[in-house]
Amino acid sequence: MQPLLTPGQQELVAQAGKLADVFAERASLHDRENSFPHENYDDLREAGFLRLSVPEELGGFGAGLPEILPVLERLAMGDGATALAFTMHLSPLGQWASVWRRTQSPRLAELLTKAAEGKLIWASVTSETGLRNDMTDSNTEAVRVEGGFELTGRKSFATNTAVATHCSTTARYEDADGGPRLLLCQIALDQPGVRIHQTWDTMGMRGTQSNDVELTKVFVEDSAVVHSLPVKHLDARVLETVWSWAMPAFSAVYTGVAAGALDWTVRSLQKRGKTGDPVLQDVIGECQILLESSRALIRNHAEDVMSRRLFTGDVQDGVARCAVVKYVAANNAVQVMQRLVDVLGGMSYTKKLPFERMWRDVQASTFMPMGNLATRKLVGANVLGVRTLPEIGPDETGPDSRAKA
């Protein structure tokens, strides 16, 4: 069963499928060598996919969330690591595009145009060891200097920095009027004071090369502080951009990895003449149902974002809804892989076959933001009517406000 898609989605997914088949041939080498698939990025650029979510008026294809998510799923069927790294570029551009369409911000137009021209590849660098990555605080220090701030700290899980030219990052400004604020900043990765440490040596998603990034007095001019909020607050602007786009994007990637594993398993069973076994039919049917349930939830979420229904309630409820999408897709993907292990037996444990890599890659899904425990606590508190953090609403931030520190 293939996902139900519109003609426009089908065309993009068909292009993604051609790329994914090539990526699949390279995936085992990059996994084994713990290396970034630069040639895959060259192919994505050649296909125009690096400007997929840039508005047509600014030189892109104008794809929104409903078009982007099936593309990410299809790419992940070939190589989950490439799809996840690509997400860190594609999703932020889509977030900015959605804000630009409403605000016509010249600053956003400039960034999106640079991306369309191939002068900008993005990464989102906000995670820090020992701090939950929920976009409410940071251990990175921001110090006020003339014309802006200097950032000092160390970020972990910096996916896509092997190829990115710029990134978004976070820092805590302790001396802000009214109390500490979280600054959301944009920096170039070739700026003085930026150093990437080769720390990535993990069980799965090895090709993402999500290494540590150290910042030492990295200058950020005032205009590159794109937003700020009081620390330990949920924020409407962050919901509208980061949470509403990143959670379904991660969901699509891990659904794609599991879908690729299911497809490979089905073809293996067909070659071995095992398709008539009712026990195997039961397992394959269960896996397909799990994938279809994830796709339905992802599709519904995309519609809620594009229609802005997601943003009509309070911020906590919106963040919880985003987290549910990621939670269901991640855990469904893990369950699919485990059930397929029952079918494949020792084949699932063999490094020369692609299933073993896919199985390892999926394990990252449940602790990527928002992780399982954090999601259950947030959703539970939301259902019980418990306010977990103070909120900053849309009227207080504005669609393109920098909320000056």
Side-chain angles (χ1 to χ4, degrees):
M1 295 172 63
Q2 297 298 316
L4 297 175
L5 303 171
T6 67
Q9 290 171 329
Q10 289 174 0
E11 182 177 350
L12 288 172
V13 168
Q15 295 179 48
K18 294 177 182 178
L19 293 172
D21 291 344
V22 175
F23 296 170
E25 296 174 359
R26 301 167 176 162
S28 62
L29 177 63
H30 288 293
D31 178 71
R32 184 168 63 253
E33 295 186 347
N34 195 33
S35 59
F36 188 85
H38 288 279
E39 65 273 39
N40 291 356
Y41 248 85
D42 292 339
D43 291 344
L44 288 165
R45 181 183 293 104
E46 181 67 24
F49 272 34
L50 294 185
R51 51 193 176 96
L52 186 63
S53 55
V54 175
E56 291 181 282
E57 304 95 310
L58 301 178
F61 287 100
L65 205 53
E67 292 77 36
I68 288 167
L69 297 175
V71 165
L72 289 174
E73 179 184 331
R74 184 63 185 90
L75 291 173
M77 289 179 68
D79 181 11
T82 295
L84 187 59
F86 180 44
T87 295
M88 303 304 179
H89 169 77
L90 192 64
S91 175
L93 295 188
Q95 296 166 27
W96 303 341
S98 66
V99 175
W100 177 81
R101 288 188 178 97
R102 292 190 296 105
T103 67
Q104 299 295 300
S105 161
R107 176 179 58 82
L108 290 177
E110 180 182 2
L111 286 170
L112 290 163
T113 300
K114 285 182 178 179
E117 294 171 347
K119 299 175 182 177
L120 179 147
I121 298 176
W122 208 258
S124 179
V125 181
T126 59
S127 179
E128 295 175 342
T129 301
L131 186 69
R132 193 172 75 186
N133 190 13
D134 61 2
M135 300 296 291
T136 67
D137 203 354
S138 174
N139 289 326
T140 298
E141 180 185 38
V143 175
R144 170 61 83 177
V145 296
E146 184 177 355
F149 296 87
E150 286 183 342
L151 310 187
T152 299
R154 185 163 176 143
K155 302 294 186 177
S156 58
F157 295 101
T159 304
N160 212 42
T161 50
V163 70
T165 60
H166 297 74
C167 75
S168 50
T169 193
T170 52
R172 178 176 175 134
Y173 178 40
E174 198 70 35
D175 298 326
D177 293 342
R181 296 185 75 87
L182 181 72
L183 309 185
L184 279 61
C185 310
Q186 296 173 343
I187 62 173
L189 286 169
D190 62 357
Q191 280 185 231
V194 178
R195 181 183 176 190
I196 298 177
H197 294 270
Q198 194 70 31
T199 54
W200 193 246
D201 187 13
T202 53
M203 180 176 76
M205 286 295 181
R206 291 167 63 79
T208 65
Q209 285 302 290
S210 304
N211 292 294
D212 285 11
V213 175
E214 184 179 11
L215 308 176
T216 305
K217 294 186 177 180
V218 175
F219 178 68
V220 177
E221 61 184 18
D222 283 326
S223 62
V225 180
V226 297
H227 187 54
S228 80
L229 59 138
V231 300
K232 299 299 181 183
H233 280 63
L234 295 175
D235 182 83
R237 172 72 180 277
V238 176
L239 166 62
E240 179 185 345
T241 52
V242 178
W243 288 115
S244 68
W245 281 72
M247 293 303 96
F250 296 162
S251 301
V253 168
Y254 287 108
T255 298
V257 175
L262 176 59
D263 179 69
W264 184 85
T265 302
V266 167
R267 286 186 282 110
S268 297
L269 294 175
Q270 289 170 338
K271 288 179 182 178
R272 293 159 59 193
K274 299 285 189 179
T275 57
D277 187 330
V279 174
L280 300 184
Q281 291 171 358
D282 176 76
V283 172
I284 299 302
E286 179 186 3
C287 292
Q288 185 66 42
I289 290 166
L290 288 167
L291 293 177
E292 289 297 330
S293 64
S294 294
R295 288 170 179 149
L297 193 57
I298 293 168
R299 212 163 34 234
N300 184 69
H301 176 87
E303 293 171 358
D304 286 345
V305 172
M306 301 306 290
S307 68
R308 299 192 61 79
R309 285 193 300 268
L310 182 67
F311 314 123
T312 58
D314 61 60
V315 180
Q316 177 173 295
D317 184 71
V319 174
R321 290 178 182 277
C322 296
V324 165
V325 177
K326 154 65 170 46
Y327 182 94
V328 171
N331 287 278
N332 281 357
V334 170
Q335 188 173 348
V336 165
M337 300 304 289
Q338 188 57 53
R339 294 298 284 129
L340 293 178
V341 168
D342 294 340
V343 168
L344 293 169
M347 292 176 66
S348 65
Y349 213 55
T350 304
K351 278 193 171 292
K352 70 178 181 179
L353 300 176
F355 184 92
E356 185 266 350
R357 168 180 49 82
M358 297 174 177
W359 190 13
R360 286 185 285 107
D361 283 351
V362 159
Q363 304 311 311
S365 65
T366 58
F367 60 81
M368 276 191 70
M370 186 178 283
N372 275 359
L373 178 59
T375 296
R376 290 194 296 266
K377 289 171 63 179
L378 176 61
V379 172
N382 197 55
V383 172
L384 292 166
V386 176
R387 299 292 90 188
T388 59
L389 292 171
E391 296 186 1
I392 304 296
D395 294 338
E396 298 170 81
T397 60
D400 193 38
S401 169
R402 294 191 181 94
K404 292 294 186 181

